[in-house]
Amino acid sequence: MMMEKLKVYADRMSQPSRAVLIFCRLNGIGFVEIKVDISKGHHLSSEFTEVNPLQKVPAIVHGSFNLSESHAILVYLNSAFPGIADHWYPSDIFRRAKINSVMDWHHSNLRNGAVSYVINTVLGPATGRTLNPKTAAEAEKVLFSSLSNLEDIWLYGDGRFLLGGSQPSIADLSMVCELMQLEVLDEKDRSRILSPYKKVLQWIDDTRASTNPHFEEVHNILYRAKKKFEQQCSRIAETQTKPSDKIGGHSKM
Amino acid sequence: MKLKVYADRMSQPSRAILIFCKVNGIDFEEIKVELSKRQHLSPEFRAINPLGQVPAIVDGRFKLFESHAILIYLASAFPGVADHWYPADLSRRARIHSVLDWHHQNLRRGAAGFVLNTVLAPLLGLPLNQQAAAEAEKILISSLTKLENIWLKGNGKYLLGGLRPSIADLSLVCEIMQLELLNGKDRDRILGPHKKVLQWIESTRNATRPHFDEVHKILYMLKTKLSEQQSNQADSVMESRIRTPLTSKM
Protein backbone atom coordinates (compact mmCIF):
# COMPACT_ATOMS: atom_id res chain seq x y z
CA MET A 1 0.00 0.00 0.00
CA MET A 2 1.39 3.36 -1.01
CA MET A 3 0.83 6.10 1.47
CA GLU A 4 1.41 9.75 0.91
CA LYS A 5 4.57 11.06 2.50
CA LEU A 6 4.35 12.13 6.13
CA LYS A 7 3.78 15.86 6.54
CA VAL A 8 5.29 17.64 9.53
CA TYR A 9 3.84 21.09 10.26
CA ALA A 10 6.44 22.92 12.27
CA ASP A 11 8.00 26.22 13.27
CA ARG A 12 11.66 25.68 14.10
CA MET A 13 11.40 28.43 16.72
CA SER A 14 9.17 26.05 18.72
CA GLN A 15 11.04 23.49 20.80
CA PRO A 16 8.57 20.59 20.37
CA SER A 17 8.65 21.22 16.60
CA ARG A 18 12.42 20.83 16.69
CA ALA A 19 12.18 17.57 18.63
CA VAL A 20 9.85 16.04 16.03
CA LEU A 21 12.01 17.23 13.09
CA ILE A 22 15.22 15.89 14.64
CA PHE A 23 13.54 12.57 15.38
CA CYS A 24 12.35 12.12 11.77
CA ARG A 25 15.72 12.99 10.25
CA LEU A 26 17.64 10.82 12.66
CA ASN A 27 15.50 7.80 11.95
CA GLY A 28 15.42 8.21 8.20
CA ILE A 29 11.68 8.84 8.10
CA GLY A 30 10.75 10.34 4.73
CA PHE A 31 8.76 13.50 5.37
CA VAL A 32 7.87 16.94 4.06
CA GLU A 33 8.46 19.85 6.42
CA ILE A 34 5.72 22.45 6.16
CA LYS A 35 6.61 25.76 7.76
CA VAL A 36 3.99 27.34 9.99
CA ASP A 37 5.44 30.72 10.91
CA ILE A 38 3.96 31.57 14.31
CA SER A 39 5.37 35.11 14.30
CA LYS A 40 3.33 35.72 11.13
CA GLY A 41 0.19 34.16 12.61
CA HIS A 42 0.23 31.25 10.14
CA HIS A 43 -0.90 28.87 12.90
CA LEU A 44 -4.25 30.73 12.95
CA SER A 45 -4.89 30.33 9.20
CA SER A 46 -7.89 28.31 8.04
CA GLU A 47 -5.58 25.90 6.18
CA PHE A 48 -3.67 25.04 9.31
CA THR A 49 -6.77 25.01 11.52
CA GLU A 50 -8.02 22.18 9.33
CA VAL A 51 -4.84 20.23 10.11
CA ASN A 52 -4.94 21.06 13.81
CA PRO A 53 -8.06 22.76 15.17
CA LEU A 54 -6.07 23.60 18.32
CA GLN A 55 -3.83 25.81 16.14
CA LYS A 56 -0.59 24.59 17.68
CA VAL A 57 2.62 23.26 16.18
CA PRO A 58 3.91 20.65 15.73
CA ALA A 59 1.23 18.63 14.00
CA ILE A 60 1.48 15.80 11.50
CA VAL A 61 -0.63 14.42 8.69
CA HIS A 62 0.03 10.80 7.76
CA GLY A 63 -2.28 9.68 4.97
CA SER A 64 -5.74 10.56 6.23
CA PHE A 65 -4.62 10.63 9.86
CA ASN A 66 -3.78 13.89 11.62
CA LEU A 67 -2.27 14.26 15.06
CA SER A 68 -1.11 17.02 17.40
CA GLU A 69 0.89 17.21 20.67
CA SER A 70 4.59 16.46 20.29
CA HIS A 71 4.82 13.58 22.77
CA ALA A 72 1.88 11.80 21.15
CA ILE A 73 3.51 12.40 17.74
CA LEU A 74 6.86 10.96 18.86
CA VAL A 75 5.14 7.88 20.29
CA TYR A 76 3.07 7.45 17.11
CA LEU A 77 6.08 7.75 14.79
CA ASN A 78 7.87 5.04 16.77
CA SER A 79 5.02 2.62 16.24
CA ALA A 80 4.00 3.64 12.71
CA PHE A 81 7.42 3.51 11.04
CA PRO A 82 9.40 0.30 10.84
CA GLY A 83 13.06 0.08 11.71
CA ILE A 84 13.24 2.60 14.55
CA ALA A 85 15.66 1.38 17.20
CA ASP A 86 13.96 0.11 20.37
CA HIS A 87 15.82 2.51 22.71
CA TRP A 88 13.73 5.47 21.47
CA TYR A 89 10.52 4.05 22.97
CA PRO A 90 11.27 0.62 24.43
CA SER A 91 8.73 -2.14 23.96
CA ASP A 92 9.54 -3.41 27.47
CA ILE A 93 6.44 -2.45 29.47
CA PHE A 94 8.38 -1.22 32.54
CA ARG A 95 10.87 0.92 30.66
CA ARG A 96 8.10 2.29 28.49
CA ALA A 97 6.05 3.19 31.58
CA LYS A 98 8.99 5.14 33.05
CA ILE A 99 9.42 7.06 29.82
CA ASN A 100 5.71 7.90 29.82
CA SER A 101 6.12 9.05 33.42
CA VAL A 102 8.98 11.46 32.77
CA MET A 103 7.21 12.84 29.68
CA ASP A 104 4.06 13.50 31.74
CA TRP A 105 6.20 15.23 34.36
CA HIS A 106 7.74 17.40 31.63
CA HIS A 107 4.44 19.25 30.89
CA SER A 108 3.74 20.86 34.24
CA ASN A 109 7.35 21.24 35.32
CA LEU A 110 10.24 21.69 32.91
CA ARG A 111 8.05 22.98 30.05
CA ASN A 112 6.06 25.27 32.25
CA GLY A 113 9.17 26.75 33.86
CA ALA A 114 11.36 27.08 30.78
CA VAL A 115 8.71 28.50 28.41
CA SER A 116 7.34 31.02 30.84
CA TYR A 117 10.81 32.17 31.93
CA VAL A 118 12.06 32.68 28.38
CA ILE A 119 8.86 34.48 27.30
CA ASN A 120 8.97 36.81 30.29
CA THR A 121 12.67 37.65 30.14
CA VAL A 122 13.49 37.70 26.41
CA LEU A 123 10.92 36.47 23.91
CA GLY A 124 7.82 38.41 24.99
CA PRO A 125 8.27 41.53 22.82
CA ALA A 126 8.97 39.41 19.72
CA THR A 127 5.57 37.73 20.13
CA GLY A 128 3.71 40.94 20.98
CA ARG A 129 3.66 40.40 24.75
CA THR A 130 5.03 42.60 27.49
CA LEU A 131 7.68 41.21 29.82
CA ASN A 132 6.24 40.42 33.24
CA PRO A 133 8.96 40.32 35.93
CA LYS A 134 6.66 38.77 38.55
CA THR A 135 5.69 35.94 36.23
CA ALA A 136 9.37 35.55 35.31
CA ALA A 137 10.24 35.18 39.01
CA GLU A 138 7.58 32.49 39.47
CA ALA A 139 8.71 30.69 36.33
CA GLU A 140 12.30 30.79 37.55
CA LYS A 141 11.27 28.93 40.69
CA VAL A 142 9.53 26.21 38.64
CA LEU A 143 12.53 26.02 36.32
CA PHE A 144 15.05 25.65 39.17
CA SER A 145 12.97 23.02 40.90
CA SER A 146 12.61 21.13 37.60
CA LEU A 147 16.36 21.24 36.98
CA SER A 148 17.00 19.94 40.51
CA ASN A 149 14.58 17.08 39.94
CA LEU A 150 16.28 16.26 36.65
CA GLU A 151 19.70 16.30 38.29
CA ASP A 152 18.78 14.32 41.41
CA ILE A 153 15.89 12.10 40.36
CA TRP A 154 15.47 11.58 36.63
CA LEU A 155 19.19 11.42 35.78
CA TYR A 156 19.91 8.76 38.38
CA GLY A 157 22.38 5.93 37.98
CA ASP A 158 25.41 5.55 35.75
CA GLY A 159 23.62 5.85 32.41
CA ARG A 160 24.19 8.96 30.36
CA PHE A 161 20.48 9.44 29.67
CA LEU A 162 17.23 9.80 31.65
CA LEU A 163 16.18 6.88 33.86
CA GLY A 164 19.64 5.34 33.74
CA GLY A 165 19.47 4.75 29.97
CA SER A 166 22.65 4.05 28.02
CA GLN A 167 20.99 5.29 24.81
CA PRO A 168 18.59 8.21 24.27
CA SER A 169 14.80 7.86 24.29
CA ILE A 170 12.12 10.22 22.96
CA ALA A 171 12.00 11.71 26.47
CA ASP A 172 15.68 12.73 26.27
CA LEU A 173 15.15 14.34 22.89
CA SER A 174 11.97 16.16 23.93
CA MET A 175 13.37 17.53 27.17
CA VAL A 176 16.80 18.51 25.86
CA CYS A 177 15.04 20.43 23.07
CA GLU A 178 13.01 22.16 25.80
CA LEU A 179 16.17 23.22 27.62
CA MET A 180 17.84 24.42 24.43
CA GLN A 181 15.49 27.42 24.34
CA LEU A 182 17.52 28.79 27.29
CA GLU A 183 20.14 29.54 24.62
CA VAL A 184 18.26 32.76 23.80
CA LEU A 185 18.84 34.13 27.34
CA ASP A 186 21.82 36.35 27.84
CA GLU A 187 24.92 34.31 28.53
CA LYS A 188 25.26 35.35 32.18
CA ASP A 189 21.68 34.44 32.99
CA ARG A 190 21.87 31.13 31.18
CA SER A 191 25.02 30.13 32.99
CA ARG A 192 23.58 31.23 36.38
CA ILE A 193 20.59 28.95 35.77
CA LEU A 194 22.27 25.90 34.25
CA SER A 195 25.80 25.77 35.66
CA PRO A 196 24.89 24.31 39.10
CA TYR A 197 23.47 21.24 37.32
CA LYS A 198 26.49 19.30 36.13
CA LYS A 199 24.64 16.14 35.18
CA VAL A 200 22.06 18.12 33.24
CA LEU A 201 24.81 19.91 31.28
CA GLN A 202 26.54 16.61 30.51
CA TRP A 203 23.21 15.09 29.45
CA ILE A 204 22.49 17.99 27.05
CA ASP A 205 25.91 17.41 25.46
CA ASP A 206 25.40 13.65 25.25
CA THR A 207 21.99 14.02 23.63
CA ARG A 208 23.31 16.58 21.19
CA ALA A 209 26.31 14.37 20.31
CA SER A 210 24.16 11.30 19.72
CA THR A 211 21.75 13.17 17.43
CA ASN A 212 24.17 15.29 15.41
CA PRO A 213 24.43 16.62 12.75
CA HIS A 214 20.62 16.90 12.76
CA PHE A 215 20.49 18.41 16.24
CA GLU A 216 22.71 21.37 15.34
CA GLU A 217 21.20 21.84 11.95
CA VAL A 218 17.63 22.10 13.30
CA HIS A 219 18.79 24.39 16.14
CA ASN A 220 20.55 26.85 13.81
CA ILE A 221 17.53 29.15 13.84
CA LEU A 222 17.85 29.46 17.61
CA TYR A 223 21.49 30.48 17.48
CA ARG A 224 20.59 33.15 14.95
CA ALA A 225 17.74 34.39 17.15
CA LYS A 226 20.15 34.50 20.09
CA LYS A 227 22.42 36.91 18.22
CA LYS A 228 19.48 39.10 17.34
CA PHE A 229 18.30 39.25 20.97
CA GLU A 230 21.80 40.03 22.19
CA GLN A 231 21.94 43.04 19.90
CA GLN A 232 18.47 44.14 21.03
CA CYS A 233 19.40 43.71 24.69
CA SER A 234 22.51 45.81 24.43
CA ARG A 235 20.48 48.54 22.74
CA ILE A 236 17.79 48.37 25.42
CA ALA A 237 20.43 48.41 28.15
CA GLU A 238 21.89 51.60 26.73
CA THR A 239 18.59 53.42 26.52
CA GLN A 240 16.67 52.08 29.54
CA THR A 241 18.93 51.78 32.53
CA LYS A 242 16.41 53.43 34.83
CA PRO A 243 13.24 51.50 33.99
CA SER A 244 15.16 48.25 34.44
CA ASP A 245 15.97 49.32 38.01
CA LYS A 246 12.25 49.63 38.59
CA ILE A 247 11.73 46.11 37.28
CA GLY A 248 14.20 44.86 39.86
CA GLY A 249 12.10 46.44 42.58
CA HIS A 250 8.92 44.80 41.27
CA SER A 251 10.37 41.33 41.28
CA LYS A 252 11.01 41.56 45.00
CA MET A 253 7.33 42.10 45.69
CA MET B 1 2.34 -9.26 45.76
CA LYS B 2 -0.77 -7.13 45.47
CA LEU B 3 -0.61 -3.82 43.62
CA LYS B 4 -0.26 -0.87 46.00
CA VAL B 5 -1.91 2.44 45.13
CA TYR B 6 -0.70 5.46 47.12
CA ALA B 7 -3.46 8.03 46.93
CA ASP B 8 -5.28 10.91 48.54
CA ARG B 9 -8.91 10.91 47.45
CA MET B 10 -8.82 14.70 47.61
CA SER B 11 -6.51 14.62 44.56
CA GLN B 12 -8.26 14.23 41.21
CA PRO B 13 -5.61 12.04 39.52
CA SER B 14 -5.65 9.79 42.61
CA ARG B 15 -9.38 9.35 42.16
CA ALA B 16 -8.95 8.44 38.49
CA ILE B 17 -6.53 5.62 39.36
CA LEU B 18 -8.72 4.25 42.17
CA ILE B 19 -11.83 4.24 39.96
CA PHE B 20 -9.91 2.59 37.10
CA CYS B 21 -8.69 -0.24 39.36
CA LYS B 22 -12.14 -0.81 40.82
CA VAL B 23 -13.99 -0.70 37.49
CA ASN B 24 -11.56 -3.22 36.00
CA GLY B 25 -11.48 -5.58 38.96
CA ILE B 26 -7.77 -5.03 39.56
CA ASP B 27 -6.87 -6.36 42.98
CA PHE B 28 -5.09 -3.60 44.89
CA GLU B 29 -4.41 -2.12 48.27
CA GLU B 30 -5.15 1.60 48.76
CA ILE B 31 -2.59 3.37 50.91
CA LYS B 32 -3.69 6.79 52.11
CA VAL B 33 -1.20 9.62 51.76
CA GLU B 34 -2.86 12.63 53.34
CA LEU B 35 -1.69 15.79 51.66
CA SER B 36 -3.30 18.02 54.31
CA LYS B 37 -1.13 16.25 56.92
CA ARG B 38 1.92 16.60 54.63
CA GLN B 39 2.36 12.83 54.52
CA HIS B 40 3.51 13.13 50.89
CA LEU B 41 6.69 14.75 52.17
CA SER B 42 7.52 11.95 54.62
CA PRO B 43 10.72 9.93 54.06
CA GLU B 44 8.58 6.76 53.76
CA PHE B 45 6.62 8.18 50.85
CA ARG B 46 9.69 9.82 49.28
CA ALA B 47 11.12 6.30 49.05
CA ILE B 48 8.10 5.43 46.84
CA ASN B 49 8.01 8.69 44.88
CA PRO B 50 10.99 11.01 45.32
CA LEU B 51 8.91 13.83 43.77
CA GLY B 52 6.53 13.62 46.73
CA GLN B 53 3.34 13.52 44.66
CA VAL B 54 0.27 11.31 44.59
CA PRO B 55 -0.82 9.06 42.97
CA ALA B 56 2.00 6.54 42.85
CA ILE B 57 1.94 2.76 42.53
CA VAL B 58 4.16 -0.12 43.53
CA ASP B 59 3.67 -3.34 41.57
CA GLY B 60 6.06 -5.94 42.95
CA ARG B 61 9.43 -4.22 42.71
CA PHE B 62 8.26 -1.68 40.14
CA LYS B 63 7.48 1.88 41.23
CA LEU B 64 5.68 4.39 39.04
CA PHE B 65 4.19 7.87 39.34
CA GLU B 66 2.30 10.36 37.13
CA SER B 67 -1.33 9.36 36.72
CA HIS B 68 -1.45 9.09 32.91
CA ALA B 69 1.62 6.85 32.87
CA ILE B 70 0.03 4.74 35.63
CA LEU B 71 -3.26 4.35 33.72
CA ILE B 72 -1.38 3.27 30.58
CA TYR B 73 0.73 0.83 32.58
CA LEU B 74 -2.28 -0.71 34.33
CA ALA B 75 -4.18 -1.05 31.05
CA SER B 76 -1.17 -2.84 29.55
CA ALA B 77 0.02 -4.91 32.52
CA PHE B 78 -3.26 -6.32 33.82
CA PRO B 79 -5.07 -8.88 31.69
CA GLY B 80 -8.80 -8.45 31.32
CA VAL B 81 -8.84 -4.66 30.94
CA ALA B 82 -11.20 -4.07 27.99
CA ASP B 83 -9.60 -2.65 24.84
CA HIS B 84 -11.70 0.54 24.82
CA TRP B 85 -9.80 1.90 27.84
CA TYR B 86 -6.53 2.03 25.88
CA PRO B 87 -7.09 0.73 22.35
CA ALA B 88 -4.43 -1.40 20.70
CA ASP B 89 -5.30 0.26 17.35
CA LEU B 90 -2.41 2.57 16.47
CA SER B 91 -4.32 5.67 15.42
CA ARG B 92 -6.93 5.49 18.17
CA ARG B 93 -4.19 5.03 20.74
CA ALA B 94 -2.26 7.99 19.30
CA ARG B 95 -5.30 10.25 19.61
CA ILE B 96 -5.76 9.22 23.23
CA HIS B 97 -2.12 10.15 23.90
CA SER B 98 -2.78 13.47 22.20
CA VAL B 99 -5.75 14.43 24.39
CA LEU B 100 -3.93 13.21 27.52
CA ASP B 101 -0.94 15.41 26.64
CA TRP B 102 -3.24 18.35 25.98
CA HIS B 103 -4.85 17.87 29.40
CA HIS B 104 -1.70 18.89 31.35
CA GLN B 105 -1.21 22.47 30.20
CA ASN B 106 -4.87 23.20 29.55
CA LEU B 107 -7.72 21.60 31.49
CA ARG B 108 -5.56 20.62 34.48
CA ARG B 109 -3.86 23.96 34.71
CA GLY B 110 -7.11 25.86 34.43
CA ALA B 111 -9.24 23.71 36.74
CA ALA B 112 -6.63 23.13 39.46
CA GLY B 113 -5.50 26.77 39.41
CA PHE B 114 -9.05 28.11 39.61
CA VAL B 115 -10.26 25.81 42.39
CA LEU B 116 -7.08 26.40 44.41
CA ASN B 117 -7.38 30.17 44.18
CA THR B 118 -11.11 30.50 44.77
CA VAL B 119 -11.83 27.79 47.37
CA LEU B 120 -9.06 25.42 48.41
CA ALA B 121 -6.09 27.66 49.28
CA PRO B 122 -7.22 28.60 52.83
CA LEU B 123 -7.63 24.90 53.71
CA LEU B 124 -4.01 24.31 52.67
CA GLY B 125 -2.74 27.35 54.56
CA LEU B 126 -2.18 29.34 51.36
CA PRO B 127 -3.51 32.82 50.52
CA LEU B 128 -6.20 33.20 47.83
CA ASN B 129 -4.69 34.89 44.80
CA GLN B 130 -7.30 36.79 42.78
CA GLN B 131 -5.06 37.48 39.83
CA ALA B 132 -4.06 33.81 39.59
CA ALA B 133 -7.75 32.88 39.83
CA ALA B 134 -8.60 35.20 36.94
CA GLU B 135 -5.81 33.79 34.77
CA ALA B 136 -6.79 30.21 35.62
CA GLU B 137 -10.42 30.99 34.77
CA LYS B 138 -9.41 32.08 31.29
CA ILE B 139 -7.48 28.83 30.72
CA LEU B 140 -10.35 26.80 32.18
CA ILE B 141 -13.02 28.36 29.99
CA SER B 142 -10.87 28.09 26.87
CA SER B 143 -10.20 24.40 27.74
CA LEU B 144 -13.90 23.67 28.21
CA THR B 145 -14.66 25.34 24.87
CA LYS B 146 -12.05 23.14 23.17
CA LEU B 147 -13.49 20.05 24.82
CA GLU B 148 -16.97 21.03 23.63
CA ASN B 149 -16.02 21.95 20.05
CA ILE B 150 -12.98 19.82 19.24
CA TRP B 151 -12.40 16.84 21.50
CA LEU B 152 -16.09 15.94 21.88
CA LYS B 153 -16.84 16.39 18.17
CA GLY B 154 -18.90 13.72 16.42
CA ASN B 155 -21.69 11.47 17.55
CA GLY B 156 -19.91 9.35 20.15
CA LYS B 157 -20.66 9.91 23.81
CA TYR B 158 -16.96 10.09 24.66
CA LEU B 159 -13.80 11.95 23.63
CA LEU B 160 -12.62 11.53 20.03
CA GLY B 161 -15.99 10.13 18.99
CA GLY B 162 -15.62 7.08 21.23
CA LEU B 163 -18.61 4.85 21.95
CA ARG B 164 -17.06 3.63 25.18
CA PRO B 165 -14.84 5.46 27.69
CA SER B 166 -11.04 5.48 27.52
CA ILE B 167 -8.48 6.36 30.18
CA ALA B 168 -8.60 9.91 28.79
CA ASP B 169 -12.33 10.24 29.54
CA LEU B 170 -11.79 9.03 33.08
CA SER B 171 -8.79 11.26 33.72
CA LEU B 172 -10.35 14.43 32.31
CA VAL B 173 -13.77 13.94 33.89
CA CYS B 174 -12.11 13.41 37.30
CA GLU B 175 -10.28 16.70 36.69
CA ILE B 176 -13.53 18.55 36.03
CA MET B 177 -15.23 16.98 39.06
CA GLN B 178 -13.18 19.20 41.35
CA LEU B 179 -15.35 22.11 40.15
CA GLU B 180 -18.00 20.60 42.47
CA LEU B 181 -16.18 22.47 45.25
CA LEU B 182 -17.02 25.88 43.78
CA ASN B 183 -20.12 27.66 44.92
CA GLY B 184 -23.16 26.76 42.80
CA LYS B 185 -23.25 30.08 40.95
CA ASP B 186 -19.61 29.90 39.88
CA ARG B 187 -19.92 26.27 38.85
CA ASP B 188 -23.03 26.93 36.72
CA ARG B 189 -21.51 30.01 35.14
CA ILE B 190 -18.41 28.05 34.11
CA LEU B 191 -19.87 24.67 33.17
CA GLY B 192 -23.41 25.61 32.17
CA PRO B 193 -22.69 26.82 28.61
CA HIS B 194 -20.90 23.56 27.75
CA LYS B 195 -23.79 21.17 27.13
CA LYS B 196 -21.75 18.39 25.54
CA VAL B 197 -19.24 18.52 28.37
CA LEU B 198 -22.05 18.17 30.92
CA GLN B 199 -23.51 15.22 29.01
CA TRP B 200 -20.07 13.60 28.77
CA ILE B 201 -19.48 13.94 32.53
CA GLU B 202 -22.80 12.14 33.10
CA SER B 203 -21.99 9.42 30.57
CA THR B 204 -18.59 8.78 32.14
CA ARG B 205 -20.05 8.73 35.62
CA ASN B 206 -22.76 6.27 34.52
CA ALA B 207 -20.25 3.99 32.81
CA THR B 208 -18.10 3.77 35.94
CA ARG B 209 -20.80 3.56 38.63
CA PRO B 210 -20.96 2.74 41.52
CA HIS B 211 -17.20 3.24 41.89
CA PHE B 212 -17.25 6.76 40.49
CA ASP B 213 -19.65 8.05 43.15
CA GLU B 214 -18.05 6.05 45.93
CA VAL B 215 -14.56 7.46 45.25
CA HIS B 216 -15.93 10.99 44.85
CA LYS B 217 -17.80 10.91 48.19
CA ILE B 218 -14.97 12.77 49.93
CA LEU B 219 -15.48 15.63 47.49
CA TYR B 220 -19.22 15.89 48.18
CA MET B 221 -18.48 15.90 51.92
CA LEU B 222 -16.00 18.73 51.55
CA LYS B 223 -18.45 20.62 49.34
CA THR B 224 -21.05 20.52 52.13
CA LYS B 225 -18.47 21.73 54.63
CA LEU B 226 -17.39 24.57 52.36
CA SER B 227 -20.93 25.77 51.65
CA GLU B 228 -21.67 25.80 55.41
CA GLN B 229 -18.54 27.89 55.95
CA GLN B 230 -19.56 30.25 53.18
CA SER B 231 -23.02 30.82 54.61
CA ASN B 232 -21.50 31.36 58.08
CA GLN B 233 -19.13 33.91 56.62
CA ALA B 234 -21.96 35.60 54.77
CA ASP B 235 -23.91 35.80 58.05
CA SER B 236 -21.02 37.34 59.95
CA VAL B 237 -20.32 39.84 57.17
CA MET B 238 -23.97 40.93 57.32
CA GLU B 239 -23.81 41.27 61.09
CA SER B 240 -20.69 43.38 60.99
CA ARG B 241 -22.29 45.57 58.33
CA ILE B 242 -25.26 46.15 60.59
CA ARG B 243 -23.05 46.78 63.57
CA THR B 244 -20.63 49.15 61.86
CA PRO B 245 -22.99 52.10 61.43
CA LEU B 246 -23.92 51.83 65.10
CA THR B 247 -20.36 51.90 66.33
CA SER B 248 -19.50 54.74 64.01
CA LYS B 249 -22.21 56.81 65.59
CA MET B 250 -20.88 56.28 69.06
Side-chain angles (χ1 to χ4, degrees):
Chain A
M1 191 181 72
M2 274 295 287
M3 213 185 216
E4 225 183 307
K5 231 186 206 176
L6 174 76
K7 287 181 188 147
V8 178
Y9 294 79
D11 181 336
R12 292 191 180 198
M13 278 304 291
S14 114
Q15 59 282 9
S17 289
R18 292 194 294 267
V20 171
L21 292 172
I22 294 168
F23 184 82
C24 288
R25 287 162 160 253
L26 207 53
N27 288 289
I29 295 174
F31 72 101
V32 189
E33 177 179 347
I34 297 163
K35 257 199 204 173
V36 181
D37 196 329
I38 295 175
S39 71
K40 292 186 181 146
H42 290 173
H43 57 304
L44 306 174
S45 72
S46 54
E47 292 90 337
F48 184 63
T49 304
E50 225 163 89
V51 171
N52 181 9
L54 297 168
Q55 304 174 321
K56 296 250 167 83
V57 287
I60 61 165
V61 174
H62 191 208
S64 60
F65 179 66
N66 53 353
L67 189 67
S68 62
E69 286 291 338
S70 69
H71 291 174
I73 292 172
L74 290 168
V75 168
Y76 171 79
L77 294 176
N78 264 281
S79 318
F81 288 85
I84 292 172
D86 188 70
H87 62 83
W88 287 109
Y89 191 56
S91 50
D92 175 74
I93 182 175
F94 302 109
R95 294 191 49 218
R96 179 170 284 197
K98 293 272 189 187
I99 287 172
N100 287 335
S101 172
V102 72
M103 290 204 298
D104 283 337
W105 174 84
H106 178 194
H107 289 283
S108 300
N109 296 280
L110 185 63
R111 169 156 303 162
N112 218 344
V115 169
S116 176
Y117 186 74
V118 169
I119 284 182
N120 285 292
T121 52
V122 185
L123 266 192
T127 53
R129 277 177 261 214
T130 47
L131 298 176
N132 182 337
K134 202 179 159 203
T135 312
E138 279 162 21
E140 187 180 304
K141 259 193 250 165
V142 178
L143 180 56
F144 272 129
S145 128
S146 302
L147 288 166
S148 296
N149 286 337
L150 274 170
E151 182 89 3
D152 300 331
I153 298 173
W154 297 113
L155 285 167
Y156 64 75
D158 297 325
R160 292 191 301 162
F161 298 99
L162 293 169
L163 306 160
S166 53
Q167 298 207 66
S169 73
I170 52 174
D172 293 285
L173 182 58
S174 167
M175 285 154 84
V176 167
C177 284
E178 193 70 63
L179 282 173
M180 283 303 287
Q181 69 184 302
L182 301 180
E183 286 288 325
V184 301
L185 301 178
D186 81 62
E187 205 45 50
K188 244 168 91 185
D189 207 26
R190 183 177 173 274
S191 135
R192 174 183 68 88
I193 290 172
L194 280 176
S195 64
Y197 305 100
K198 305 292 174 212
K199 277 185 169 182
V200 170
L201 286 169
Q202 185 58 51
W203 164 63
I204 295 174
D205 278 348
D206 288 338
T207 304
R208 172 193 265 145
S210 64
T211 55
N212 261 340
H214 309 292
F215 190 94
E216 286 301 303
E217 208 262 314
V218 173
H219 279 90
N220 260 338
I221 189 168
L222 199 68
Y223 305 136
R224 285 200 301 266
K226 183 190 175 75
K227 269 192 201 143
K228 219 171 92 184
F229 288 129
E230 275 169 359
Q231 287 161 0
Q232 272 177 8
C233 282
S234 58
R235 248 177 297 157
I236 292 170
E238 280 163 25
T239 54
Q240 293 193 342
T241 328
K242 287 208 170 149
S244 76
D245 287 347
K246 266 186 214 158
I247 289 169
H250 273 294
S251 70
K252 277 182 197 158
M253 280 166 74
Chain B
M1 228 199 324
K2 229 190 221 179
L3 173 76
K4 287 184 184 143
V5 178
Y6 292 80
D8 181 337
R9 292 192 179 199
M10 278 304 296
S11 112
Q12 59 282 9
S14 289
R15 292 195 294 268
I17 303 292
L18 293 172
I19 295 167
F20 184 81
C21 288
K22 286 171 180 247
V23 168
N24 287 289
I26 294 173
D27 195 18
F28 73 101
E29 185 189 343
E30 177 179 349
I31 298 164
K32 256 198 202 175
V33 181
E34 271 193 71
L35 302 178
S36 66
K37 293 185 182 155
R38 305 177 73 77
Q39 288 171 352
H40 57 301
L41 305 175
S42 72
E44 292 83 356
F45 184 64
R46 291 267 193 198
I48 305 297
N49 179 1
L51 295 171
Q53 287 173 339
V54 287
I57 61 163
V58 176
D59 188 18
R61 288 170 47 207
F62 183 64
K63 296 171 198 159
L64 190 65
F65 33 90
E66 285 292 337
S67 71
H68 293 171
I70 293 173
L71 289 168
I72 290 173
Y73 171 79
L74 295 175
S76 316
F78 286 82
V81 174
D83 186 71
H84 62 85
W85 288 108
Y86 186 57
D89 175 76
L90 183 59
S91 48
R92 291 191 51 217
R93 179 171 286 195
R95 289 241 162 94
I96 286 173
H97 284 163
S98 178
V99 70
L100 285 171
D101 284 335
W102 174 85
H103 178 194
H104 289 282
Q105 290 276 54
N106 297 282
L107 184 63
R108 167 155 305 160
R109 221 169 135 199
F114 189 71
V115 171
L116 180 69
N117 284 297
T118 49
V119 195
L120 271 189
L123 300 181
L124 301 168
L126 299 167
L128 291 172
N129 180 335
Q130 278 188 338
Q131 201 201 328
E135 278 162 24
E137 186 178 329
K138 256 192 255 166
I139 300 175
L140 175 56
I141 288 178
S142 137
S143 301
L144 289 167
T145 306
K146 283 179 180 138
L147 274 168
E148 182 89 4
N149 298 331
I150 299 172
W151 297 114
L152 285 168
K153 215 168 120 181
N155 295 321
K157 289 200 288 182
Y158 299 99
L159 294 169
L160 308 160
L163 302 173
R164 310 206 49 196
S166 75
I167 54 174
D169 294 286
L170 184 57
S171 171
L172 274 72
V173 167
C174 283
E175 194 69 60
I176 294 182
M177 282 302 288
Q178 68 184 304
L179 301 182
E180 288 292 323
L181 295 179
L182 302 176
N183 73 52
K185 241 168 97 184
D186 257 357
R187 188 184 168 275
D188 292 346
R189 176 175 61 83
I190 288 170
L191 275 178
H194 307 285
K195 304 292 176 215
K196 275 188 170 180
V197 171
L198 288 168
Q199 184 55 51
W200 163 64
I201 296 172
E202 272 316 293
S203 303
T204 306
R205 173 194 253 152
N206 283 331
T208 55
R209 261 187 181 140
H211 311 291
F212 190 94
D213 290 332
E214 196 253 309
V215 173
H216 279 91
K217 245 182 204 155
I218 190 168
L219 201 68
Y220 303 133
M221 266 148 43
L222 180 62
K223 184 190 173 77
T224 314
K225 210 172 106 184
L226 284 171
S227 53
E228 278 165 13
Q229 269 178 9
Q230 276 165 357
S231 60
N232 285 350
Q233 270 170 7
D235 286 348
S236 60
V237 170
M238 291 271 277
E239 269 173 42
S240 66
R241 272 193 199 140
I242 296 166
R243 249 185 259 133
T244 319
L246 292 175
T247 44
S248 69
K249 274 182 197 163
M250 279 168 72

